[in-house]
Amino acid sequence: MPHINMGQYRERSASVPKRLMYFLTLLIESLKNDINFPRFLMIDTPNKEGIDKDNLIKNIALLTEADKYNYENKCPFQIILTTGIDTYPEDYKKFVFFKLEGEKYLLQENILEEKC
């Protein structure tokens, strides 16, 4: 077993950039040409596949390439990225609109008061 990433080897981590670039390419092609693609990407927790943080951030930074093909904002598109805390390029900090930190969870216990 190779010793990389501080002794953790995850073969699937190599597929993260491949998948990311594949879908980014489809998005860019849909912006450049009239192809059947929804102009919407939702990338859910790419870091769970074992890719190291530095490489993940470099790959995520490539998402800004789509802006280069959105000539005069004629083709609106959206990219939603869910990832770990501070696992994104520093330039993206202005786009973060929701963080789960500390005791803040998506699911909350619903405590109903009994009414008599």
Side-chain angles (χ1 to χ4, degrees):
M1 200 54 104
H3 289 281
I4 57 173
N5 295 337
M6 293 186 272
Q8 290 186 339
Y9 175 72
R10 297 185 182 174
E11 182 180 341
R12 293 175 54 185
S13 68
S15 61
V16 172
K18 290 177 189 174
R19 281 194 312 262
L20 190 60
M21 293 310 111
Y22 173 76
F23 288 111
L24 177 60
T25 301
L26 287 176
L27 176 63
I28 288 172
E29 285 302 312
S30 74
L31 295 172
K32 289 169 41 178
N33 307 302
D34 189 24
I35 66 168
N36 189 14
F37 189 78
R39 295 185 181 123
F40 171 78
L41 286 181
M42 183 166 183
I43 304 162
D44 185 24
T45 326
N47 52 330
K48 73 176 182 182
E49 298 292 335
I51 188 170
D52 61 283
K53 184 177 177 178
D54 292 337
N55 283 328
L56 177 62
I57 290 172
K58 288 176 187 175
N59 283 271
I60 290 172
L62 293 173
L63 295 174
T64 56
E65 291 293 310
D67 282 333
K68 295 178 183 177
Y69 300 97
N70 191 11
Y71 307 112
E72 300 172 7
N73 292 324
K74 288 185 178 179
C75 298
F77 68 95
Q78 186 174 21
I79 299 173
I80 296 176
L81 173 66
T82 62
T83 188
I85 295 172
D86 298 326
T87 309
Y88 47 81
E90 188 67 29
D91 297 350
Y92 286 22
K93 195 169 256 184
K94 61 186 173 196
F95 301 120
V96 173
F97 64 92
F98 188 70
K99 278 187 165 184
L100 297 175
E101 295 178 295
E103 296 295 316
K104 191 174 179 183
Y105 302 108
L106 278 178
L107 298 176
Q108 298 289 328
E109 184 176 352
N110 189 5
I111 301 172
L112 298 175
E113 293 181 29
E114 289 188 33
K115 294 184 179 182
C116 299

